[in-house]
Amino acid sequence: METEPADSGRPAARRRYDPRLPAPPAFLRRGPWREGAFTSPLHEPRTVVVVGRWLGGALLVCFLTGLTSHLLQDPPGWLAPHLPARPVNGYRVTQGLHVISGLAAIPLVGAKLWAVYPRLFEWPPARSVLHALERLGIALLVAAVLMELFTGLLNTLQWYPWPFPFRQTHYWLGWTAVGGLLVHLSVKAPLIAGHWWRRAAPALAQRRAFLTATTAAVGAVTLVTAGQSVPWLRPLDLLAPRRPDIGPQGLPVNRTAAQAGTVTVPADWRLSVDGPVPYRLTLAELGELPQVSAELPISCVEGWSATARWTGVRMAELVRRAGAPPGSAVRVTSLEAEGPYRVMEMPATYVDDPLTLLALRVDGGVLDADHGFPARVIAPNRPGVLQTKWVARIEVIA
Ligand SMILES: Nc1nc2c(c(=O)[nH]1)N[C@H]1C(S)=C(S)[C@@H](COP(=O)(O)O)O[C@H]1N2
Ligand SMILES: [Mo]
């Protein structure tokens, strides 16, 4: 083990205050402001850079997959017609990565903040206007990242204990964090470059232990939660809020029929299809149309995903029977009285995909009430929130 040269006999008890700058007033030199308040040798740039690289990687993956999710769920008008219905598991993978990288970032942010927190008690608090702005920027960055991780974690628990809308807030805070991160990286670029390579810093046994512990924490968090979206990690899925195989018909439910207030489907239920040639069908009549089966996942924005074998009528077939040409988009309305997922619009790429179904059955059985009986939408590469349950009406809109 190497130690840094130290006159006190203690490794790396660095001088707190720059002798060229005004010292803090005597009454302040207590607690975290006293000389020698921080004794760990790990409050140093190499440790910060190594943890920062991992954290930066996790945040980058989290941001890009989050952006993907946002665009798939709520695309601007110009983008909607270009969203791809393939790969079938695309959204499952990106959303799985979003939650995995976000959870991994939690221990990483803890390690990173611990390594740098003595800087909070720097003296003087700001050396110049520019320095004050930089510190303000870091405060904003830290606040945005912590809020993102906190709201995202609670979202996976389906817990929304705040008055603001989750998705928009999470989206704009994501941009705030990325903006703050880019400024931070450019300001710190020389420092980062100077400590990027191992040879630039003295080897420290404590650093190695700290980095190993951080890696272990990230590994543990990932292993006990990733099973909610990665099938072969399912047996280890101890801490994730969902086991993707627990629920009616072996599939989880995000919002039950009771929660949605549609427990009873009217006895005279008919599917209405509106297009150039509108028509209505009973469940029995729907069952007489050509039935198609497809292996498709439900990938919830809240982090879990599960694949099932769905059987029903192709959306394209229903639209064709209404006299609409290929390339038509539809609006689907649920029996549900109210709720953010009652009405859903589906661009033509999904409508035309041969795997997009109005499903009547799952894994061989009639749909459970909680999975959307009598009929639900299931389409490839789409967020779970758009897989509308308890369908009442399909309208051709373009
Ligand atoms: N009408 C309606 N459809 C809905 C929902 C809803 O609340 N209302 N929840 C959606 C969400 S968020 C998900 S993840 C999937 C879950 O489907 P499952 O409950 O069959 O697993 O259904 C979607 N379809
Ligand atoms: Mo969901």
Side-chain angles (χ1 to χ4, degrees):
M1 176 189 138
E2 262 182 65
T3 46
E4 288 183 10
D7 37 90
S8 63
R10 243 191 342 215
R14 283 190 300 145
R15 263 192 95 94
R16 281 303 302 285
Y17 303 110
D18 188 332
R20 289 161 302 179
L21 293 169
F27 75 89
L28 237 181
R29 290 195 186 206
R30 55 182 79 229
W33 278 280
R34 72 187 192 280
E35 195 73 53
F38 302 101
T39 52
S40 168
L42 296 180
H43 303 301
E44 50 90 44
R46 171 69 187 166
T47 306
V48 173
V49 167
V50 175
V51 178
R53 282 196 306 228
W54 297 340
L55 178 60
L59 293 181
L60 182 70
V61 171
C62 207
F63 176 70
L64 293 177
T65 51
L67 201 58
T68 305
S69 181
H70 188 83
L71 292 176
L72 280 178
Q73 184 178 343
D74 194 10
W78 58 267
L79 182 64
H82 305 289
L83 293 180
R86 301 299 172 92
V88 170
N89 282 301
Y91 185 72
R92 177 179 207 180
V93 171
T94 59
Q95 192 62 7
L97 280 175
H98 184 66
V99 175
I100 289 171
S101 56
L103 288 172
I106 293 173
L108 290 174
V109 122
K112 176 80 161 71
L113 290 181
W114 176 80
V116 296
Y117 90 99
R119 302 294 294 271
L120 267 179
F121 310 103
E122 231 171 49
W123 199 268
R127 292 188 300 272
S128 62
V129 174
L130 205 62
H131 185 224
L133 282 177
E134 188 212 326
R135 298 200 73 190
L136 206 66
I138 292 179
L140 198 68
L141 167 62
V142 172
V145 168
L146 290 181
M147 267 298 273
E148 282 298 74
L149 297 179
F150 178 72
T151 53
L153 177 67
L154 264 57
N155 176 254
T156 70
L157 302 168
Q158 287 195 286
W159 185 22
Y160 303 96
W162 44 67
F164 48 82
F166 166 77
R167 199 160 50 84
Q168 287 78 354
T169 312
H170 200 64
Y171 177 71
W172 288 112
L173 275 176
W175 281 107
T176 310
V178 162
L181 190 58
L182 290 178
V183 173
H184 180 57
L185 288 177
S186 39
V187 171
K188 300 289 184 192
L191 191 85
I192 297 170
H195 295 84
W196 190 265
W197 305 107
R198 190 193 304 254
R199 61 182 141 71
L204 278 180
Q206 292 101 318
R207 187 195 301 121
R208 205 171 315 129
F210 179 71
L211 295 179
T212 306
T214 305
T215 312
V218 170
V221 165
T222 306
L223 282 178
V224 296
T225 55
Q228 60 185 323
S229 56
V230 183
W232 51 272
L233 284 175
R234 202 165 279 181
L236 296 176
D237 183 10
L238 302 171
L239 286 190
R242 300 288 181 150
R243 273 282 304 243
D245 49 356
I246 292 178
Q249 300 175 303
L251 276 178
V253 173
N254 242 47
R255 192 135 168 272
T256 62
Q259 286 166 338
T262 55
V263 210
T264 45
V265 177
D268 62 344
W269 179 86
R270 298 248 188 323
L271 172 74
S272 305
V273 184
D274 285 349
V277 191
Y279 62 93
R280 285 160 63 96
L281 291 176
T282 63
L283 186 53
E285 288 165 337
L286 267 174
E288 281 157 20
L289 297 183
Q291 302 292 302
V292 174
S293 290
E295 196 83 35
L296 291 174
I298 289 194
S299 319
C300 182
V301 296
E302 286 162 326
W304 59 271
S305 57
T307 294
R309 190 167 181 77
W310 306 90
T311 305
V313 185
R314 281 196 176 122
M315 187 62 84
E317 171 72 17
L318 293 170
V319 166
R320 189 186 65 78
R321 282 172 184 260
S328 302
V330 297
R331 178 183 301 127
V332 176
T333 308
S334 171
L335 283 172
E336 208 182 341
E338 54 189 34
Y341 314 131
R342 194 178 78 87
V343 180
M344 174 274 283
E345 288 186 4
M346 180 184 277
T349 44
Y350 295 96
V351 175
D352 290 342
D353 193 288
L355 294 182
T356 300
L357 307 179
L358 183 71
L360 309 177
R361 306 173 71 82
V362 60
D363 291 331
V366 171
L367 288 179
D368 187 278
D370 290 339
H371 289 312
F373 179 85
R376 78 164 312 155
V377 167
I378 187 87
N381 196 27
R382 277 203 116 189
V385 288
L386 302 178
Q387 314 282 28
T388 310
K389 304 195 274 194
W390 314 294
V391 170
R393 182 159 178 224
I394 298 172
E395 297 159 82
V396 175
I397 50 174

